[in-house]
Amino acid sequence: HWTDRDVEVLDTLAQAASGEIALRAALADAQELAQQTAELAAAAAVAGRRTAEFARTLQQSLLPPQLPDVPGLDIGAAYVPASTGEEVVGDFYDVFEGVSGTWCVAVGDVSGKGPEAAVITGLARWTLRAVALRTISPVKVLGRLNEVLLHQPAGGDRHITVAFATIRRQRGRVTVSLCSAGHPLPLLRRADGTVFDAARPGMSAGWFERADLSETKHELDTGDMLVFVTDGVLEARRSGLGGARSGEEFGVEGLRRVVAIGAGSARELAVAVMDAVEEFRDGPPVDDTAVLVVRVTP
């Protein structure tokens, strides 16, 4: 006769086996995507077609075609490519469903540019998705990404900065767990306008076997917003024309000021940040710029 304990153990083992199979399949897909991206970039280079159109097409393939519709969350993003558009850069963002009903947010930046950056970006995105099917811990997700990057062939830049969050709605409460691997820290804007860093600094992935990472948790209320950016926002500079101080950066304080003012929807706040950066910068963008906002709704 099967006892309740026997059934519980078998169910746990079945879930573990299912998760392992899903992880292996997703990682295999990531490796295949990376290989296909590398082959596409190499073919374009040989044919002499490394044009802005090719770069933009490849860059857009590394971003989600549309953000998911998540009950209880309002999600919006804004993205502006570098002015040259002649090479792929490693900026990316993603929102997807994880294990146990969680929703995951990832915003990252791969070191370097060109086909190599595209390969690592594709690998990173699919690795994050695969590992998030097994754990709700952002530290474990980014730790596994670090391991995967370290097993890539040596040579060239293979490190990456990522801010990763898991959001969970359970029994009427919304909680978020965040971890930053060398990435600009996400901001948390409370409904009353208070703004503060939502995570603690951590080590970029792909450098060392033991990444120094930490997890920060918050309980979220209706109207609270999480704001993620890439370094193209913080490092936007003035050229010194029109009386402005040459080399002045938009910086964290510039971002905080815009976020504190707030906006209605997640999309509106993302656009407001991007507009403020565009207004501050008195020249063309030299780096891709991404903003992603998550707002808690009733």
Side-chain angles (χ1 to χ4, degrees), residues 165-212:
T166 56
I167 303 173
R168 193 174 193 180
R169 183 182 292 273
Q170 194 174 39
R171 293 189 293 273
R173 299 172 58 221
V174 181
T175 57
V176 60
S177 299
L178 304 103
C179 181
S180 174
H183 199 77
L185 299 181
L187 296 180
L188 174 52
R189 182 192 187 277
R190 294 296 190 185
D192 63 4
T194 304
V195 179
F196 55 91
D197 292 338
R200 294 188 293 272
M203 184 182 297
S204 301
W207 281 117
F208 302 101
E209 290 187 8
R210 295 183 62 84
D212 182 13

Side-chain angles (χ1 to χ4, degrees), residues 55-75:
R56 283 300 115 208
T57 299
L58 184 54
Q59 181 77 53
Q60 290 298 330
S61 73
L62 300 174
L63 299 173
Q66 63 182 30
L67 294 170
D69 183 11
V70 183
L73 297 178
D74 172 28
I75 306 172

Side-chain angles (χ1 to χ4, degrees), residues 140-158:
K140 291 182 179 179
V141 171
L142 295 185
R144 180 57 176 155
L145 173 63
N146 184 64
E147 295 174 8
V148 170
L149 293 177
L150 288 175
H151 283 85
Q152 294 306 299
D157 289 326
R158 60 182 181 183

Side-chain angles (χ1 to χ4, degrees), residues 138-269:
V139 169
K140 291 182 179 179
V141 171
L142 295 185
R144 180 57 176 155
L145 173 63
N146 184 64
E147 295 174 8
V148 170
L149 293 177
L150 288 175
H151 283 85
Q152 294 306 299
D157 289 326
R158 60 182 181 183
H159 68 276
I160 180 175
T161 69
V162 185
F164 192 86
T166 56
I167 303 173
R168 193 174 193 180
R169 183 182 292 273
Q170 194 174 39
R171 293 189 293 273
R173 299 172 58 221
V174 181
T175 57
V176 60
S177 299
L178 304 103
C179 181
S180 174
H183 199 77
L185 299 181
L187 296 180
L188 174 52
R189 182 192 187 277
R190 294 296 190 185
D192 63 4
T194 304
V195 179
F196 55 91
D197 292 338
R200 294 188 293 272
M203 184 182 297
S204 301
W207 281 117
F208 302 101
E209 290 187 8
R210 295 183 62 84
D212 182 13
L213 301 170
S214 61
E215 186 169 322
T216 306
K217 296 184 179 181
H218 303 279
E219 186 164 339
L220 303 179
D221 295 318
T222 298
D224 288 349
M225 291 185 174
L226 290 165
V227 181
F228 302 79
V229 301
T230 58
D231 59 7
V233 170
L234 306 184
E235 296 176 2
R237 294 177 179 271
R238 294 188 188 275
S239 66
L241 300 176
R245 289 184 296 173
S246 178
E248 182 184 2
E249 290 187 343
F250 187 73
V252 175
E253 291 308 313
L255 176 62
R256 285 174 177 266
R257 284 194 293 270
V258 179
V259 172
I261 295 172
S265 67
R267 168 65 179 170
E268 287 170 343
L269 181 56

Side-chain angles (χ1 to χ4, degrees), residues 5 15 33 37 45-46 51 84 86 99 106 114 128 137 146 164 167 181 187 204 225 231 235 267 282 285:
R5 177 58 179 168
Q15 291 185 25
L33 174 63
T37 303
V46 171
T51 61
T84 60
E86 295 176 355
V99 70
L128 293 172
S137 168
N146 184 64
F164 192 86
I167 303 173
L187 296 180
S204 301
M225 291 185 174
D231 59 7
E235 296 176 2
R267 168 65 179 170
D282 53 9

